[in-house]
Amino acid sequence: MEYKKASLSDIGILTNMRINMLCEESPLTDGQKRLIAEKTMEFLFNGLSDNSVVSWVAANAGDIVGMGCVNFFSFPPNDWCPIGKTAYIGNMYTLPGFRGQGIALTILTYLVDEVKSRQCQRILLNATDMGRPLYEKCGFEDSPTAMALYPFGIIPPI
């Protein structure tokens, strides 16, 4: 398995994988698929171009079989995130035939390392039931609005 940062040339496959991921969660109409695909391509193009999005992928024999994205933004500073730098991890998806091989864990590790390198004080994500054990294994905890990981030990008051 080869792991690498996605590039602009990967946008098409990442978009298709995102549609597959969403369809596993709940069915989408053809119209919804088209709209989401169009907006996903736009989101990835803009984010990868301006470096506000980083996507790591796993490739088997050159074909992408797993992905994960992180996008970076800032919230207004507060007492548990004083500089406001925040990351959101999403689009974690592995093709069904490649699940259970540690691909998602490896991609998540690369994403968290990317977040740490940018000194973000907070990582947010929303977990599916299938993904929750992976995120908990990596130290993410439930919060009132999302699961969160504070890689530098800054934890909001409960």
Side-chain angles (χ1 to χ4, degrees), residues 62-156:
D63 294 325
I64 294 176
V65 299
M67 68 175 187
C69 292
V70 59
N71 58 302
F72 299 93
F73 55 96
S74 292
F75 278 126
N78 57 42
D79 59 330
W80 43 272
C81 189
I83 61 172
K85 291 174 76 171
T86 301
Y88 181 84
I89 291 177
N91 294 338
M92 291 291 298
Y93 183 73
T94 304
L95 293 176
F98 291 88
R99 293 179 184 161
Q101 299 178 31
I103 293 170
L105 175 60
T106 301
I107 290 172
L108 182 62
T109 300
Y110 280 117
L111 294 173
V112 170
D113 288 346
E114 183 77 29
V115 170
K116 289 178 180 179
S117 76
R118 294 188 188 206
Q119 301 296 305
C120 288
Q121 294 177 301
R122 169 178 38 205
I123 305 171
L124 304 173
L125 62 81
N126 291 308
T128 62
D129 290 341
M130 183 171 43
R132 187 172 298 280
L134 168 68
Y135 303 128
E136 289 172 344
K137 177 180 179 178
C138 293
F140 286 83
E141 299 176 0
D142 282 321
S143 75
T145 57
M147 292 187 78
L149 172 67
Y150 298 87
F152 298 102
I154 302 169
I155 301 173

Side-chain angles (χ1 to χ4, degrees), residues 29-66:
T29 67
D30 288 343
Q32 289 172 316
K33 289 177 190 176
R34 279 191 300 277
L35 178 62
I36 292 169
E38 176 188 329
K39 294 303 177 184
T40 297
M41 291 179 86
E42 184 180 306
F43 170 81
L44 289 170
F45 179 81
N46 292 336
L48 292 173
S49 294
D50 71 10
N51 207 28
S52 64
V53 171
V54 172
S55 181
W56 275 86
V57 297
N60 181 49
D63 294 325
I64 294 176
V65 299

